[in-house]
Amino acid sequence: QVKLVESGGGSVQAGGSLRLSCAASGYTGSSGWFRQTPGNEREGVAAIWSSSGVTQYADSVKGRFTISRDNAKNMVYLQMNRLKPGDTAMYYCAADFIRGYWLNGEWNYWGQGTQVTVSS
């Protein structure tokens, strides 16, 4: 069983930065970050593939967010720069991609989330 624990969320003003962390117990495979606001579906933000190290991003965050991992520490990070009020959401870490397209496909494991609030 893979356990994912997110941290690093908080409140920040527009233009600021935050770094989210995801501790993935015993897991170094495919990982992703997603976000969700009340009343809306969860949306993919970024993904990193263990075999190639290739990263993918949603168009809305390209050039501002960076996903990375430290396999030695079983950690996945999301560096978020130039934050906008529209980035306000609960952010979730996901692991072990199963099928579909990563943005809205099926992932095996999910964390509990960490809240990010960006004020204007």
Side-chain angles (χ1 to χ4, degrees):
Q1 184 74 15
V2 175
K3 183 178 180 181
L4 305 176
V5 179
E6 302 96 333
S7 61
S11 297
V12 64
Q13 288 193 325
S17 298
L18 283 173
R19 188 176 84 152
L20 305 184
S21 299
C22 175
S25 60
Y27 183 80
T28 57
S30 54
S31 301
W33 285 97
F34 291 74
R35 64 188 182 186
Q36 188 172 24
T37 53
N40 293 308
E41 292 188 358
R42 189 160 48 195
E43 62 174 355
V45 174
I48 185 165
W49 306 104
S50 59
S51 58
S52 62
V54 169
T55 58
Q56 292 179 276
Y57 298 93
D59 287 343
S60 59
V61 306
K62 279 181 182 176
R64 300 189 298 122
F65 290 11
T66 303
I67 187 171
S68 62
R69 67 182 312 132
D70 184 335
N71 287 338
K73 297 181 179 179
N74 289 342
M75 296 291 294
V76 181
Y77 304 101
L78 184 68
Q79 178 66 44
M80 305 186 295
N81 298 329
R82 304 200 308 275
L83 282 160
K84 305 175 182 179
D87 295 319
T88 295
M90 183 71 78
Y91 282 72
Y92 297 90
C93 180
D96 191 18
F97 177 70
I98 298 175
R99 64 178 65 88
Y101 183 54
W102 73 269
L103 270 176
N104 52 17
E106 187 176 352
W107 293 74
N108 204 1
Y109 303 103
W110 294 90
Q112 293 300 305
T114 185
Q115 177 68 36
V116 171
T117 302
V118 184
S119 58
S120 57

